[in-house]
Amino acid sequence: MSKAADEPKAFGGQTVDSVTCDHNVAKVAILGVPDVPGIAARLFSRLAERDVKVGMIIQSIMRGGVNDIAFLVRRDILGKAIEACREVAKEIGSQGVTFDAEIGRVTVTGPGVSERPEVPYQVFSTLAQEGINIDMISSTNESITCVVESSDVERAVEALRRCFLS
Amino acid sequence: MILRVKVPASSANLGSGFDTLGMALSLYNFYDLLSLLPSGSYEIEVIGEGEHELEDPIGNLLIKSYERAAGELGIEAPGLKLRCLNAIPLRRGLGSSSSAVVGGVLLANAMRDNPLDKDELLALMVAIEGHPDNVVPSCLGGMVVSSWDGRELRYVKLPSPPRDIVVVVAVPNVEVSTSEARQALPEQVSLSDAIFNVSRVALLAASWATGQWDHLPWAMEDRLHQQFRARLFPGGEEILERVRSVPGCLGVAISGSGPSVMAFARGNVQEVAEAACRTFMEKGVRSRFFVLDIDENGAVVEYTEPSLDKEEIQHVKSGR
């Protein structure tokens, strides 16, 4: 991978321990959720009742009195999530629910990765140089996860491994 | 907010029912009237679909429909400050333009001293839109058979299907304009193709009316428009066959003039959706999908505080 002269060098194993991927994910987005307390609780309690584990919950900035709420579920139980989300979307008077199963997630893991500003920068610039669009981003102290199109997952993993682990 | 007009998406040209059959779907645009302005003044905020292209009142179909309806209904139309919360994808065959026509006419109707019933406004909506199979279900809800000769409208709203029949809609990240889709059609069709469609669409309406759902896959077949429009978007020529073969699929069609594809599913919802989205993906096109019900209520006007808002409308109209 070519690098501009002013870019930081890859960090090797000192910061990043692993680059992994997961194809078993799908995205759910509930559109136009009224911005009142208790709505998110109702949605996620319904999913919990159906034993649908969720991750990477993102709420958009409230505009016009509504938000969109997006999250990931396991693709192999998407059917259960569809049923539960449709029920709640109808009850709360949202505008609709949309689903995307053509995604995967790529995770860069290591001690304190998200506290080192150069690491997220390297992740995003590496994917950008590959022409890979990032659909969702989340981070913890020890990981940075990007959701990308499923057909881009392998290429993203290879590029990030070249960047951090070679 | 003075009032909200909630308008559903719609899927029309359903298989064999070209320009005739359409249904309202449980995906909605909200048109919020925030305040009244002097006549001819408009402020539009768009959130969601079309937020970077629909905010100019000039050419905005919601405003054009509002002004035309006000003229036809013989009312002095105040200007509007509107917030549009749009969830219906644009130019994907899901009736986004029809929702704007329905919304604009209902906004004008709300300015009347005695608003008309929705069915009294249908002919005007169809005249603005140019064809009936999106606006009629979008306004009334349900699955509707419509016939329009350019002046007179006849329609029949069919009964609701069982709750376990859902509508799966795959929406690719490409656009097809309605005018381009019209141009793709031949000027003439063969008698055998015309007979093929007449038999299918009659069976479709009869089967739907009597709840004989097993006929749907056969009755939705078409030879008038889909094979021409399928060429206008990636995957179009393979997708109908692939989705139709999924167990639980009760019929599949190009939604509107495309590029979205809709299917009725009874069970196996995820498999039906993924078969459609996988076809788009194989052609290098991103897609997402919706799992929708047939909306039975159609467009709804909700006043936040009815008495107060009627007074405000009167106040602005009388120029006091």
Side-chain angles (χ1 to χ4, degrees), chain A residues 31 63-64 66 75 78-79 82 86 90 93-103 135 149-151, chain B residues 26-30 46-47 51 83 85-87 166 270 274 277-278 281 286-293:
Chain A
L31 308 171
R63 294 167 67 200
V66 298
R75 185 171 172 170
L78 178 59
I82 288 172
R86 275 167 36 80
K90 199 170 180 177
S94 78
Q95 293 176 271
V97 194
T98 179
F99 305 94
D100 185 351
E102 302 290 341
I103 55 164
D135 196 35
E149 191 177 317
S150 55
S151 57
Chain B
S26 60
L27 176 68
Y28 304 93
N29 281 359
F30 296 162
V46 178
I47 296 167
E51 64 184 50
R83 180 177 58 212
L85 297 162
N86 291 352
V166 299
Q270 184 178 346
E274 290 187 355
C277 291
R278 192 166 57 251
M281 178 62 81
R286 287 285 280 130
S287 63
R288 55 183 168 143
F289 69 91
F290 294 88
V291 182
L292 303 168
D293 297 310

Side-chain angles (χ1 to χ4, degrees), chain A residues 55-121:
Chain A
M56 225 168 169
I57 302 165
I58 292 173
Q59 178 170 288
S60 66
I61 295 168
M62 196 272 286
R63 294 167 67 200
V66 298
N67 312 291
D68 295 343
I69 297 179
F71 51 93
L72 298 184
V73 298
R74 274 179 29 207
R75 185 171 172 170
D76 58 359
I77 55 163
L78 178 59
K80 283 202 289 186
I82 288 172
E83 209 175 302
C85 292
R86 275 167 36 80
E87 276 174 20
V88 176
K90 199 170 180 177
E91 288 168 18
I92 63 178
S94 78
Q95 293 176 271
V97 194
T98 179
F99 305 94
D100 185 351
E102 302 290 341
I103 55 164
R105 69 180 154 192
V106 180
T107 301
V108 170
T109 308
V113 285
S114 60
E115 293 171 359
R116 303 264 309 261
E118 65 275 20
V119 179
Y121 161 71

